[in-house]
């Protein structure tokens, strides 16, 4: 990557203290997102995707969470920022959208009031100026009759419209990076595809960088330039989308891709259920986190964490045996 990346994360670790236990939810994640690039972060439920995303915005409670590593967003060192500096960054530099708009939107204020408030928190705008910018924000996400929607409450909108309103709110202050946590997972298939298309269009029109978190490989394929596959709090493989689809190297990636619907996105499409359980985060395996479920694991896999190796430029994999594992034998042993 020649230009300075919009997001650069190095060796990110996130641990939660809970009771007498320490849960290692993120275990050394490194990733970069270029300006105007969409990175999809995929993996099964519990693999640490949301925790990673929240850590990028430093949203975890400082009291019960330990974060290590480096996080740079738009050239700023997130680990060094004060609370007020972080607040100044959330909105104009980096914004977040979630699976459930009702958690992001306040039920007692209209959509317009919420967007206006967000705008005026960061920009020196009069009420009238902010209102006209809020209207523009609703137009941008193609909400029908935006003038009326401005004065609507979240509960007066359909799920798809609420999701558009949340995107409008997130983009109101013109962030450079959008962190999207399963924003289409709760929607019907047709609405889901509309929102994915909208995100892609906005991303291109605004030159946004996006980290798009999903457990749905079909959604990732619709929007991603590059894909990072997460398992047990680590990125086990990352590559450009076409390269990952054509030439997956990690056994876990191969299993995930084996579950991809051939005829596009379908409602309720889920990743395959792999035999065995996800790793116990209170007691991580000594070696590769996927080893207990990997049909090709050896003693080396069980004892030593694999290094991150380059397959080709911009395609990295973390598996001791990536050069030896065949897709065919893997899928056969899984079925
Ligand atoms: N605040 C928290 N305290 C303790 N454990 C947490 C917390 N947030 C998430 N976890 C745990 O961290 C792991 C990763 O969670 P998460 O990142 O939400 O997974 P996903 O990939 O499904 O988004 C899960 O086991 C989850 O229970
Ligand atoms: Mg999640």
């Amino acid at each position: 990557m020649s230009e300075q990346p919009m997001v650069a994360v190095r060796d990110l670790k996130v641990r939660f203290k809970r009771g007498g236990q320490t849960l290692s939810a993120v275990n050394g994640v490194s990733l970069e997102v270029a300006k105007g690039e969409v990175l999809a972060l995929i993996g099964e439920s519990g693999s640490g995707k949301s925790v990673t995303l929240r850590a990028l915005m430093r949203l975890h409670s400082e009291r019960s969470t330990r974060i290590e590593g480096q996080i740079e967003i738009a050239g700023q060192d997130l680990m060094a920022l004060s609370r007020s500096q972080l607040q100044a960054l959330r909105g104009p530099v980096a914004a977040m959208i979630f699976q459930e708009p009702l958690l992001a939107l306040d039920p007692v204020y209209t959509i317009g009031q919420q967007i206006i408030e967000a705008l005026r928190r960061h920009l020196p705008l009069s009420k009238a100026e902010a209102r006209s910018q809020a209207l523009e924000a609703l137009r941008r996400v193609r909400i029908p009759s935006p003038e009326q929607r401005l004065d609507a409450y979240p509960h007066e909108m359909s799920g798809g419209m609420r999701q558009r309103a949340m995107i409008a709110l997130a983009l109101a202050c013109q962030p450079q990076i959008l962190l999207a946590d399963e924003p289409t997972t709760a929607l019907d298939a047709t609405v889901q595809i509309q929102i994915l298309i909208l995100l892609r269009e906005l991303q291109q029109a605004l030159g946004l960088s996006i980290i798009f978190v999903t457990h749905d490989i079909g959604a990732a394929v619709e929007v991603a330039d590059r894909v990072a596959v997460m398992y047990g709090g680590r990125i086990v493989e990352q590559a450009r989308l076409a390269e990952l689809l054509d030439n997956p190297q990690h056994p876990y990636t191969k299993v995930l891709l084996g579950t991809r619907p051939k005829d596009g996105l379908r409602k309720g499409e889920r990743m395959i259920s792999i035999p065995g359980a996800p790793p116990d985060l209170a007691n991580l395996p000594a070696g590769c986190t996927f080893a207990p479920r990997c049909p090709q694991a050896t003693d080396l896999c069980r004892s030593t964490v694999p290094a991150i190796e380059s397959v080709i430029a911009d395609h990295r994999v973390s598996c001791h045996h990536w050069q030896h594992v065949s897709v065919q034998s893997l899928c056969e042993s899984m079925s």
Side-chain angles (χ1 to χ4, degrees), residues 314-325:
D314 208 13
H315 184 173
R316 278 163 280 166
V317 65
S318 182
C319 170
H320 289 298
H321 303 299
W322 66 272
Q323 280 155 309
H324 311 123
V325 178

Side-chain angles (χ1 to χ4, degrees), residues 73-94:
I73 294 187
Q76 298 199 59
D77 176 0
L78 267 277
M79 300 300 275
L81 296 187
S82 68
R83 190 183 285 255
S84 63
Q85 287 170 320
L86 283 169
Q87 264 157 15
L89 176 131
R90 293 180 195 134
V93 178

Side-chain angles (χ1 to χ4, degrees), residues 54 98-107 114 154 162 166 169:
R54 292 173 63 79
F98 308 89
Q99 178 172 338
E100 185 39 80
L102 289 178
L103 296 178
L105 298 169
D106 193 325
Q114 296 182 56
R162 272 202 293 269
M166 179 168 61
L169 177 62

Side-chain angles (χ1 to χ4, degrees), residues 16-18 23-26 43-54 60-61 64-65 181-182 213 215 230 279 281:
F16 298 108
K17 279 174 270 169
R18 197 191 254 176
L23 298 180
S24 304
V26 176
E44 69 186 352
S45 177
S47 55
K49 306 180 298 296
S50 296
V51 171
T52 300
L53 217 58
R54 292 173 63 79
H60 293 292
S61 129
S64 56
T65 316
D181 194 354
E182 311 248 13
V213 161
H215 67 273
M230 231 175 145
L281 301 180

Side-chain angles (χ1 to χ4, degrees), residues 185 187-189 192 215-216 261 265-271:
T185 300
L187 302 170
D188 290 343
Q192 185 174 7
H215 67 273
D216 177 349
L265 210 59
R266 273 188 264 135
K267 174 66 185 164
E269 207 70 58
R270 290 289 176 264
M271 290 175 169

Side-chain angles (χ1 to χ4, degrees), residues 10 28 43 55 77 103 126 142 185 194 202 253 257 291 294 309:
R10 295 239 189 301
D77 176 0
L103 296 178
S126 71
R142 291 216 214 85
T185 300
Q194 287 165 5
L202 289 169
T253 313
L257 294 181
C294 181
E309 296 181 42

Side-chain angles (χ1 to χ4, degrees), residues 21 30 50 58 152 159 164 184-185 272 295 322:
Q21 283 188 327
S30 298
S50 296
R58 298 270 315 271
R164 284 174 194 261
T184 60
T185 300
I272 204 168
W322 66 272

